[in-house]
Amino acid sequence: MAEKQKNIILTGDRPTGKLHIGHYVGSLKRRVALQESGAYDEIYILIADAQALTDNADNPQKIRDNIIEVALDYLSCGIDPEKTTICIQSALPALTELSFYYMNLVTTARLERNPTVKTEIRMRGFDKGGEGIPVGFYTYPISQAADITAFKANCVPVGEDQMPMLEQCREIVHKFNSTYGEVLVDPRIMLNDNETCRRLPGTDGKAKMSKSLGNCIYLSDSREALHKSVMSMFTDPNHINISDPGQVEGNAVFTYLDAFATDGHFQRYLPDYENLAQMKDHYRRGGLGDVKCKKFLEKVLNEELDPIRERRARWEADIPGVYEILREGTERARKKTQETLEEVRAAMKINYFDNNALISEWMERHPAGKA
Ligand code: TRP
């Protein structure tokens, strides 16, 4: 390839629900920072509706509704459609075609070994009775490899739960390139350096925020809803009286503070302490009550969420404008992915009608009159 490798980012989300602050610290906030860094030539965010359908075949309405929700979440967080292309997966036919060719480069045994697929099969109960595992679901790691490679992305900033997907994608890239020639770009996963941000627990202290557990704080939550969530948050069940020593490990309030609080927040809202380490020491010693901690956390979160709420209100008043952003972004993405598809077809020499090798090679091997 003569062309210098561009710096291209691709990320995506399944539109199965509104995004929450776990998505925000785990990924969204950084996408905005990467967008503003100016270090990338192209940035794409894929709303992965086709992937969402792999285990929601009976509920396209839910997916349709959440495309708008997720787009609103992006725009509210500061994703700028002038700098980042937001696009809809199912409107990019090149992705489907790429998946179809990549399927021949992956074994069923390899798919079965994919840890994300394994866990999800268990989580969704596909393994227990019912109708079994939908083929589309089973093969979605291949379709995700198509997403990533179609944009020639070299950088994929996602949560660590996506690591097995990236590994599988890289295997497909290597297999393709060694079989047909160097066309696909080897993508690198970009994880968040802040450990806490990678996996923010739910407000109940459980492992992960999830809609079904009702332990989420959504980016679209009002100040009132946030107040309720924070005040009912899981802390240390043995910290009964203020004077009791408390534990900060596994205490959701402190985990959230780890993810969000800066020294500046202490100066502005809780000057009793210079920083989080001092506050934690006091909590551990005893004498610091949960309510005081929660009130501080609430202020910290509101400082982060207020500008997001304001932008959201503006975009909510212009849904046709949001739709237009999606339409234009998808159009741009369609061109980009189509180009890659054409290179792939050329490398595989299945572009029969773009190059006459089909007949010229045949004729060479079959000199006239000797067919
Ligand atoms: N699987 C991702 C998730 O569940 C969503 C996704 C689809 C994605 N295609 C992608 C992420 C391509 C990164 C790159 O969150």
Side-chain angles (χ1 to χ4, degrees), residues 106-302:
V106 180
T107 64
T108 55
R110 177 61 182 90
L111 281 177
E112 267 160 36
R113 276 202 313 274
N114 184 310
T116 312
V117 174
K118 256 194 198 161
T119 326
E120 288 180 14
I121 285 173
R122 231 177 303 124
M123 250 167 49
R124 285 157 224 259
F126 285 151
D127 55 342
K128 291 192 206 70
E131 292 172 12
I133 307 164
V135 173
F137 175 81
Y138 188 66
T139 57
Y140 93 76
I142 301 174
S143 125
Q144 189 157 331
D147 300 342
I148 296 168
T149 54
F151 290 91
K152 297 243 170 122
N154 60 341
C155 177
V156 185
V158 281
E160 62 184 344
D161 60 318
Q162 295 296 306
M163 237 140 81
M165 295 295 150
L166 260 288
E167 253 164 55
Q168 182 136 32
C169 175
R170 295 177 62 147
E171 284 174 31
I172 292 173
V173 168
H174 299 154
K175 182 95 189 197
F176 185 96
N177 286 349
S178 63
T179 310
Y180 302 115
E182 292 282 325
V183 170
L184 303 180
V185 173
D186 205 5
R188 170 173 69 82
I189 189 168
M190 192 186 210
L191 291 174
N192 211 316
D193 337 314
N194 183 327
E195 198 75 31
T196 321
C197 290
R198 290 195 200 170
R199 197 159 285 215
L200 198 71
T203 52
D204 56 358
K206 295 250 168 62
K208 214 174 161 181
M209 280 201 186
S210 110
K211 190 176 172 191
S212 52
L213 294 173
N215 61 0
C216 300
I217 294 177
Y218 292 103
L219 290 168
S220 51
D221 278 355
S222 64
R223 276 181 155 247
E224 294 70 37
L226 179 77
H227 178 76
K228 266 201 207 133
S229 295
V230 171
M231 287 306 151
S232 63
M233 261 172 92
F234 179 82
T235 57
D236 169 7
N238 299 316
H239 184 242
I240 297 163
N241 301 306
I242 293 185
S243 56
D244 292 340
Q247 198 174 320
V248 300
E249 290 76 25
N251 180 325
V253 172
F254 281 95
T255 310
Y256 283 28
L257 287 174
D258 273 326
F260 286 96
T262 62
D263 295 354
H265 289 127
F266 281 94
Q267 285 160 25
R268 287 193 285 287
Y269 307 123
L270 195 60
D272 308 9
Y273 311 103
E274 273 172 38
N275 53 40
L276 187 55
Q278 280 185 4
M279 183 184 181
K280 282 183 178 173
D281 279 343
H282 192 185
Y283 192 83
R284 286 199 187 96
R285 280 199 309 275
L288 173 56
D290 281 350
V291 173
K292 187 163 176 179
C293 301
K294 287 179 171 178
K295 282 191 171 152
F296 175 58
L297 175 63
E298 188 181 348
K299 289 188 181 121
V300 169
L301 289 178
N302 273 326

